[in-house]
Amino acid sequence: MEQTDKKPIIELQNISKSYYSETAVTQALRKVSLSFELGEFVAITGESGSGKSTLLNIIGGMDTFDEGEMYIYGEPTFQYDDLDWEDYRRTKIGYVFQDYSLIGHYSVLDNVMSALVIMGAEQDAAREMARKYLKQVGLDEYENHRATELSSGQKQRLSIARALAKNTDVIVADEPTGNLDSETGNQIISLLKELSKDHLVIMVTHNYDQAEAYVSRKIRIHDGQVISDVLVNQTDEKKPAMEREKLPAQEMNLRWQNRVAALFAKRNRKTQPGRAFLFTTFLFIISAASFLFIGELFLHKDDYHTRGYSNSVFAREDDTRISVKRADGKPITDEDLQKMASMRNVVCVDSCDLANDINFYLDEDKDYEYHYSKVLKRPVEAPSNAVTQTVSFENTSRFMKSTDCISEDDLAFGRMPEARNEIVLYASDDSRLGSSQKCYFTSDNLWQSGQYYFTDVTIVGILKEKTDDVYFSRALCQMLGNPSSLAEYRLTYAWDSVLKLYLVRRPVIPVINDSLKGNEVRASATDPYKDNDKMAMPPGASEMILSWQAVNEKKDVVGDPIEDTIQVQAERNEYTSKVLEMSQELFDKHYGGETYQASIYMTSYAKTDAILKALEKKGYVGVSTYRISTGEYLEDLVNQRLIIIGICAFGLIAILLAEILILRSLMRIRVKDYFVLKFIGMKMQVIKRISYFEMGGYALAAILLTLILAWILRFAGVTIIKDIMWYYTLIPYLLFALYNFLLIFLTVASFNRLLKGRLNQ
């Protein structure tokens, strides 16, 4: 080639390149020495396999060489590392490919803007500059079309516009007319010729005849060697180089890299909505499954539910109940009740704690049944057809609650109880308002097995929400439950003058009879000592002693007895042997209206520890009635818990592996796009970050959708969701989010390792 006084932009000295396989070594280039200057339009020709594309790839920084040296603006490249070559591709070279190498789902404008943004342009500036380049190649009317919608010639024009947008001195074109018809090919060659006025254009072509009239230099390669290098179509006409618009300097720091990666991730989501939907749906399924597994792990983290329950202390088996006292031992006031009720996750507070362990039986043939039988051996005074009536209690799962647990707002009809024997319950309409029915009460742990009390109760209120709970007046609950927490009461009679003591100290269950006055009481007709003349209760009215002794926490009797003379009426009541009716005055004298123990009902057992800690801070002592009543482990429940924990742990691991394998396979579809971004100058670090931002966005959407669905299902009453949602506090939510983002991180990291290997091939 004839030498000029121009300074070379690119110079090759003795460049050699070989490719290695397991069985052979192929030498693609042999001692190639060339130099290229601004303003040239160079055509590199040669038969297939001659090495011309390898030469172009080395010039474009897409491939490395084994021997020799390449100079760029006079600077050697022997010391270049991967980052230097990335910078070279980004700032020194524009590319035009035979297959166009466009990002098909991007718009025409976005394809050109991509190159400008990679170069450091802000979006608004990049948009305006891209439009200028599109106009230069005749595509200004197609800027909103997708690249896939263009014809072959238009695609190649777009590829050239993108190369121009990089504003580099050098444009390399690999078979730019290979997929075009003759007419369109001539137009592209003509356009490249025009660009060579102020660029160095190096083109590899298999059809030199088409380019012959336009190029200024022809290089022929054969078997990896330059066999000819001649100037053609030379003219003395000197045209001034076009002044190209310069991009403002941009510091390519980490912040800028993240901005660019986020921009491309957003563009990918926007331009491929179907793909975005697919990934989001898949990740939503993964997220929902992990939400369930993590929730189940926290639900089964403690083992109290794998133990047997003993109702000897707290008959009501309810894991949402906490029994509370004041730490200073003083009575619980209304202010205390309000303070406890205002705590988070507290549904209600019942001041009548012990009544909450008393069974009630309201509905005949459902809660209780009557049985009748003839008297076989009857007393003389009984008629010959005498029939005895006994009652059996069928449904022992219903326990008392006081109206402390409801308010007027909970009523659909009626009012709150005012009298002792008034109740509130649920019914489908108000037809039961004002009706009365018999209600039985038992308590094996407070009264002893076999003892019961009954009374007629009147329905004065109907609840809005369907429930099996029945709410009794505080007065009735305090009457049946409160005294047992304070003292032991006994009816004392049958004085033995020899022994100087009462032979009978009969435990009693005190109840109020409004017809009695002063110290009048009415004992049960059922006398356990009726066949013992000495110990049987005397017939008719009789003056006796009611003995009262305080008890401690362990129910041990402490202190000296307090005795009160009472008048036992001749008329007996129909209750079991321990029930002793008395006047309101006598009841208040011994038992008063103070309460020392209340029941808190929580939203869920999951809140037990949080509420116990909060109670302690407020000056109360609380115990979980469920935890304190559980004993030995039940093998079946233990095994069930371990199986669930194992399934959840295995599920989380399986999800991780499945997501990595499936998502990585789906993400491979985009490898070609990343090739394009690499060749137009994007740093590998930024390419890697695109997937993190894009997949992270899908993961965030999936997590939010999972949480929204979980809350909807919770409010809809789906049991499994309600159960685990109570355990979702800050830590489980964080673990759930971290787990899903960790899956994305591992998936993208695995994909990026694959991508790096593919891009470096």
Side-chain angles (χ1 to χ4, degrees), residues 174-199:
D174 188 6
E175 302 281 7
T177 62
N179 293 330
L180 306 178
D181 59 71
S182 297
E183 182 179 354
T184 306
N186 289 334
Q187 292 174 1
I188 295 301
I189 296 293
S190 178
L191 180 57
L192 291 174
K193 171 63 175 177
E194 187 67 22
L195 296 178
S196 68
K197 293 177 180 178
D198 62 341
H199 294 79

Side-chain angles (χ1 to χ4, degrees), residues 275 278-279 282 657-671 695 747-748 750-751 754 758:
R275 186 176 186 273
L278 173 65
F279 276 100
F282 178 76
L657 297 176
E659 177 166 308
I660 291 175
L661 293 175
I662 295 173
L663 282 186
R664 194 175 74 163
S665 298
L666 293 174
M667 291 169 69
R668 286 183 178 181
I669 300 171
R670 186 160 282 164
V671 169
M695 299 305 296
T747 301
V748 175
S750 175
F751 171 74
L754 169 71
R758 294 283 297 274

Side-chain angles (χ1 to χ4, degrees), residues 423-463:
I423 65 171
V424 171
L425 48 70
Y426 171 78
S428 57
D429 53 45
D430 62 350
S431 60
R432 296 181 68 182
L433 271 180
S435 65
S436 295
Q437 59 191 89
K438 183 174 288 187
C439 186
Y440 285 86
F441 302 90
T442 68
S443 179
D444 290 350
N445 58 340
L446 296 180
W447 298 349
Q448 188 177 341
S449 179
Q451 299 296 313
Y452 63 80
Y453 168 73
F454 60 84
T455 187
D456 288 335
V457 293
T458 302
I459 301 169
V460 297
I462 303 296
L463 294 166

Side-chain angles (χ1 to χ4, degrees), residues 307-490:
R307 305 180 186 187
Y309 187 89
S310 170
N311 59 7
S312 59
V313 179
F314 295 100
R316 179 194 290 266
E317 186 177 348
D318 188 340
D319 63 5
T320 67
R321 179 184 172 196
I322 291 178
S323 184
V324 186
K325 292 183 178 181
R326 284 178 60 123
D328 57 13
K330 294 180 180 180
I332 292 176
T333 64
D334 286 341
E335 183 181 352
D336 292 321
L337 297 175
Q338 292 173 4
K339 192 183 298 185
M340 288 185 274
S342 66
M343 294 168 57
R344 279 189 73 185
N345 297 307
V346 170
V347 176
C348 68
V349 181
D350 195 335
S351 63
C352 307
D353 175 76
L354 289 175
N356 286 210
D357 289 305
I358 296 176
N359 293 103
F360 72 88
Y361 310 89
L362 184 62
D363 300 317
E364 186 177 355
D365 298 329
K366 178 182 177 182
D367 292 337
Y368 66 92
E369 291 181 353
Y370 288 121
H371 303 276
Y372 302 92
S373 60
K374 287 187 177 182
V375 177
L376 299 179
K377 183 179 181 181
R378 59 182 177 81
V380 175
E381 66 275 10
S384 59
N385 61 347
V387 175
T388 61
Q389 173 185 284
T390 57
V391 61
S392 64
F393 303 112
E394 306 299 324
N395 181 12
T396 60
S397 64
R398 306 180 78 184
F399 293 87
M400 296 182 74
K401 274 187 178 179
S402 83
T403 50
D404 287 347
C405 294
I406 58 172
S407 67
E408 293 278 359
D409 293 337
D410 296 310
L411 301 182
F413 308 103
R415 59 174 174 81
M416 296 288 284
E418 297 171 358
R420 182 189 312 114
N421 286 4
E422 293 179 339
I423 65 171
V424 171
L425 48 70
Y426 171 78
S428 57
D429 53 45
D430 62 350
S431 60
R432 296 181 68 182
L433 271 180
S435 65
S436 295
Q437 59 191 89
K438 183 174 288 187
C439 186
Y440 285 86
F441 302 90
T442 68
S443 179
D444 290 350
N445 58 340
L446 296 180
W447 298 349
Q448 188 177 341
S449 179
Q451 299 296 313
Y452 63 80
Y453 168 73
F454 60 84
T455 187
D456 288 335
V457 293
T458 302
I459 301 169
V460 297
I462 303 296
L463 294 166
K464 295 176 183 176
E465 300 293 332
K466 188 173 183 179
T467 178
D468 286 334
D469 286 333
V470 175
Y471 296 92
F472 299 85
S473 68
R474 184 189 283 194
L476 183 61
C477 290
Q478 287 179 335
M479 182 188 83
L480 295 179
N482 192 45
S484 301
S485 65
L486 302 175
E488 181 180 88
Y489 305 91
R490 293 183 180 273

Side-chain angles (χ1 to χ4, degrees), residues 76 288 338 439 525 529 646 657 693 713 719:
Q338 292 173 4
C439 186
Y529 307 111
L657 297 176
F693 279 100
L713 294 178
T719 303

Side-chain angles (χ1 to χ4, degrees), residues 294 298 703 707 728-742:
I294 292 172
F298 276 90
I703 289 170
L707 295 179
Y728 264 96
T729 55
L730 178 61
I731 292 178
Y733 276 123
L734 287 176
L735 288 175
F736 163 66
L738 287 173
Y739 174 80
N740 281 276
F741 282 121
L742 176 64

Side-chain angles (χ1 to χ4, degrees), residues 445-578:
N445 58 340
L446 296 180
W447 298 349
Q448 188 177 341
S449 179
Q451 299 296 313
Y452 63 80
Y453 168 73
F454 60 84
T455 187
D456 288 335
V457 293
T458 302
I459 301 169
V460 297
I462 303 296
L463 294 166
K464 295 176 183 176
E465 300 293 332
K466 188 173 183 179
T467 178
D468 286 334
D469 286 333
V470 175
Y471 296 92
F472 299 85
S473 68
R474 184 189 283 194
L476 183 61
C477 290
Q478 287 179 335
M479 182 188 83
L480 295 179
N482 192 45
S484 301
S485 65
L486 302 175
E488 181 180 88
Y489 305 91
R490 293 183 180 273
L491 181 62
T492 307
Y493 60 90
W495 175 259
D496 190 309
S497 57
V498 177
L499 298 175
K500 304 295 184 181
L501 52 76
Y502 290 103
L503 297 178
V504 178
R505 300 184 69 253
R506 181 174 175 177
V508 296
I509 302 169
V511 297
I512 298 170
N513 184 325
D514 292 323
S515 65
L516 300 175
K517 307 297 180 184
N519 281 10
E520 295 177 345
V521 301
R522 186 176 294 164
S524 172
T526 305
D527 190 344
Y529 307 111
K530 62 183 179 181
D531 295 327
N532 187 325
D533 293 337
K534 188 174 182 180
M535 299 180 66
M537 183 171 290
S542 179
E543 190 173 83
M544 297 183 185
I545 301 296
L546 182 63
S547 176
W548 179 97
Q549 275 185 289
V551 297
N552 60 18
E553 291 284 345
K554 298 179 180 180
K555 297 296 182 183
D556 296 328
V557 176
V558 294
D560 296 328
I562 299 174
E563 297 181 347
D564 206 349
T565 302
I566 55 175
Q567 300 296 322
V568 181
Q569 303 299 293
E571 182 183 358
R572 299 289 191 256
N573 65 48
E574 299 177 354
Y575 311 122
T576 50
S577 60
K578 292 185 179 181

